[in-house]
Amino acid sequence: MSMSMKDEILKRLLAANGEAVSGQDLADSLGVSRTAIWKHMQTLQEEGYTFETVKKKGYVLTGVPNSLSPTQLALFLNTERLGREVHYFDVVDSTQTIAHKLAQEGAPDGTIVIGEEQTAGRGRMSRPWESAKGTGIWMTIILRPDVSPQQASSFTLVVAVAVTMAIKSLYPHVEPAIKWPNDLLIRGKKCTGILTEMQAEADVVQALLVGIGINANQLEDDFSPDIANIATSLRIAAGEEINRAALVATILQYVEQFTELFVQDGFASIKELWEQMSCTIGQRIEVTTIKERFEGIASGITDEGVLQLTQSDGTIRTIYSGDIKILS
């Protein structure tokens, strides 16, 4: 996707590293009028960028917002498909809801829906998810992989590996661990949830809607009392502010990479990585399903991503879905 005029102006201002960029030089090199440059500068200011105008020299970029706008995201994006079409909202009820509608209307593979704030964010089993403004990453990726509905059931695990890899690549001293099937924990506290939903007909997947919620820049006091003892953020773990646009772009890059691997070779090709990143395997866990509750040792996962549990009598049970609590 070609870069817009506004994005090109911003790219050049960022590349100047605090030096002035002439408005006339911008106009000449981009083949537009000075008035057009000024209008784009006004738009950038409305998005939170700040500038200083130096007489006879031009514009100096003095402040960059930590936003998830398409303009900001485009600066970091390095993918073939994912994130090339972006639906960005300041406030949205749920990115997942909007993504479902867009997918039904034919949105292309790799489309993302992203919001600065969700008023009705949700996780698995329609549980609410706190999505405060400007603090986290609340997005849904529309994917159209050539897989069967049966294969798609393990896709959440694929995305969990991709998100973990993205976080560790940018913040190597942060150690997220995957809790089966859809959470990332840091020091035992939840920082990320993944929700994968499917649109399908018969044996054909029309679209996968991958919702990713990440607590990025919350401080400890930002969490409500209900979750303060079980939630954390990347900022708390890293000890620094998280560049959300850079993280989103990196996540998209890894999701694209692992999606291609998954389509080509199945989950078995990613299973070992998942096991290395998991905080579930080898632990005594409590499993709660719709019908019952039981305990055992999480002894592994199958090549399809199904959890295996070894009970005290040696019986191995396969867990396709349910909530788990790590006991030891």
Side-chain angles (χ1 to χ4, degrees), residues 247-269:
L247 180 55
V248 167
T250 307
I251 288 170
L252 295 176
Q253 183 177 346
Y254 276 103
V255 170
E256 185 171 278
Q257 173 185 332
F258 282 106
T259 298
E260 291 172 357
L261 185 61
F262 177 65
V263 170
Q264 180 177 325
D265 299 321
F267 180 71
S269 61

Side-chain angles (χ1 to χ4, degrees), residues 81-83 94-103 108-115 118 122-124 137-145 147 151-164 181-184 192-199 205-214 248 251-252 254-256 258-259 262-263:
R81 306 183 325 276
L82 272 63
S94 166
T95 60
Q96 202 78 355
T97 301
I98 291 174
H100 269 285
K101 184 174 184 293
L102 289 171
D109 177 53
T111 297
I112 70 169
V113 181
I114 197 160
Q118 288 186 123
R122 58 186 173 89
R124 288 176 68 237
I137 293 169
W138 327 123
M139 73 171 173
T140 299
I141 310 170
I142 299 173
L143 296 169
R144 300 187 184 276
V147 296
Q151 288 175 295
S153 63
S154 59
F155 199 78
T156 295
L157 282 67
V158 177
V159 176
V161 170
V163 175
T164 301
N182 69 318
D183 293 340
L184 267 58
T192 300
I194 300 165
L195 174 64
T196 303
E197 296 177 321
M198 179 169 54
Q199 293 179 0
V205 172
Q206 300 294 338
L208 294 179
L209 297 308
V210 183
I212 301 173
I214 301 177
V248 167
I251 288 170
L252 295 176
Y254 276 103
V255 170
E256 185 171 278
F258 282 106
T259 298
F262 177 65
V263 170

Side-chain angles (χ1 to χ4, degrees), residues 23-71:
Q24 188 61 58
D25 287 348
L26 285 172
D28 292 342
S29 62
L30 295 173
V32 296
S33 66
R34 283 290 303 273
T35 300
I37 297 295
W38 179 82
K39 287 181 178 178
H40 285 302
M41 297 296 290
Q42 292 295 108
T43 302
L44 287 168
Q45 282 189 312
E46 291 168 4
E47 292 179 359
Y49 297 90
T50 57
F51 307 93
E52 180 181 336
T53 303
V54 179
K55 191 174 182 180
K56 295 185 178 180
K57 290 188 176 182
Y59 302 102
V60 177
L61 184 65
T62 56
V64 177
N66 192 340
S67 81
L68 295 171
S69 69
T71 302

Side-chain angles (χ1 to χ4, degrees), residues 42-323:
Q42 292 295 108
T43 302
L44 287 168
Q45 282 189 312
E46 291 168 4
E47 292 179 359
Y49 297 90
T50 57
F51 307 93
E52 180 181 336
T53 303
V54 179
K55 191 174 182 180
K56 295 185 178 180
K57 290 188 176 182
Y59 302 102
V60 177
L61 184 65
T62 56
V64 177
N66 192 340
S67 81
L68 295 171
S69 69
T71 302
Q72 191 70 7
L73 184 58
L75 300 174
F76 302 97
L77 204 57
N78 186 29
T79 56
E80 292 292 328
R81 306 183 325 276
L82 272 63
R84 296 298 166 175
E85 181 171 318
V86 181
H87 295 261
Y88 170 74
F89 300 89
D90 189 50
V91 180
V92 64
D93 54 356
S94 166
T95 60
Q96 202 78 355
T97 301
I98 291 174
H100 269 285
K101 184 174 184 293
L102 289 171
Q104 289 169 346
E105 294 171 350
D109 177 53
T111 297
I112 70 169
V113 181
I114 197 160
E116 294 289 349
E117 177 184 5
Q118 288 186 123
T119 57
R122 58 186 173 89
R124 288 176 68 237
M125 302 180 184
S126 297
R127 294 190 182 102
W129 178 280
E130 288 192 8
S131 312
K133 187 166 188 176
T135 58
I137 293 169
W138 327 123
M139 73 171 173
T140 299
I141 310 170
I142 299 173
L143 296 169
R144 300 187 184 276
D146 183 15
V147 296
S148 69
Q150 292 74 27
Q151 288 175 295
S153 63
S154 59
F155 199 78
T156 295
L157 282 67
V158 177
V159 176
V161 170
V163 175
T164 301
M165 293 283 285
I167 293 170
K168 292 177 72 171
S169 72
L170 293 179
Y171 304 96
H173 54 296
V174 176
E175 290 290 337
I178 303 171
K179 174 174 172 274
W180 187 91
N182 69 318
D183 293 340
L184 267 58
L185 309 182
I186 299 176
R187 303 189 191 101
K189 293 187 174 183
K190 184 171 177 175
C191 72
T192 300
I194 300 165
L195 174 64
T196 303
E197 296 177 321
M198 179 169 54
Q199 293 179 0
E201 292 181 7
D203 292 329
V204 178
V205 172
Q206 300 294 338
L208 294 179
L209 297 308
V210 183
I212 301 173
I214 301 177
N215 296 331
N217 280 319
Q218 290 93 333
L219 299 175
E220 291 181 3
D221 291 343
D222 292 330
F223 294 111
S224 69
D226 292 343
I227 64 170
N229 64 331
I230 59 171
T232 190
S233 73
L234 296 180
R235 182 173 185 169
I236 293 170
E240 62 182 282
E241 185 177 11
I242 305 302
N243 185 318
R244 294 184 299 146
L247 180 55
V248 167
T250 307
I251 288 170
L252 295 176
Q253 183 177 346
Y254 276 103
V255 170
E256 185 171 278
Q257 173 185 332
F258 282 106
T259 298
E260 291 172 357
L261 185 61
F262 177 65
V263 170
Q264 180 177 325
D265 299 321
F267 180 71
S269 61
I270 303 167
K271 175 183 172 183
E272 185 176 346
L273 267 178
W274 188 95
E275 290 176 328
Q276 291 172 2
M277 298 173 181
S278 171
C279 62
T280 305
I281 305 304
Q283 302 296 315
R284 173 166 289 278
I285 64 173
E286 178 184 84
V287 180
T288 302
T289 68
I290 295 174
K291 295 181 178 180
E292 57 182 329
R293 180 179 298 174
F294 48 91
E295 295 181 12
I297 302 295
S299 48
I301 55 172
T302 69
D303 286 350
E304 291 73 41
V306 179
L307 183 66
Q308 294 183 309
L309 182 102
T310 302
Q311 296 187 284
S312 56
D313 63 358
T315 303
I316 296 177
R317 298 186 63 164
T318 54
I319 315 300
Y320 292 91
S321 64
D323 286 339

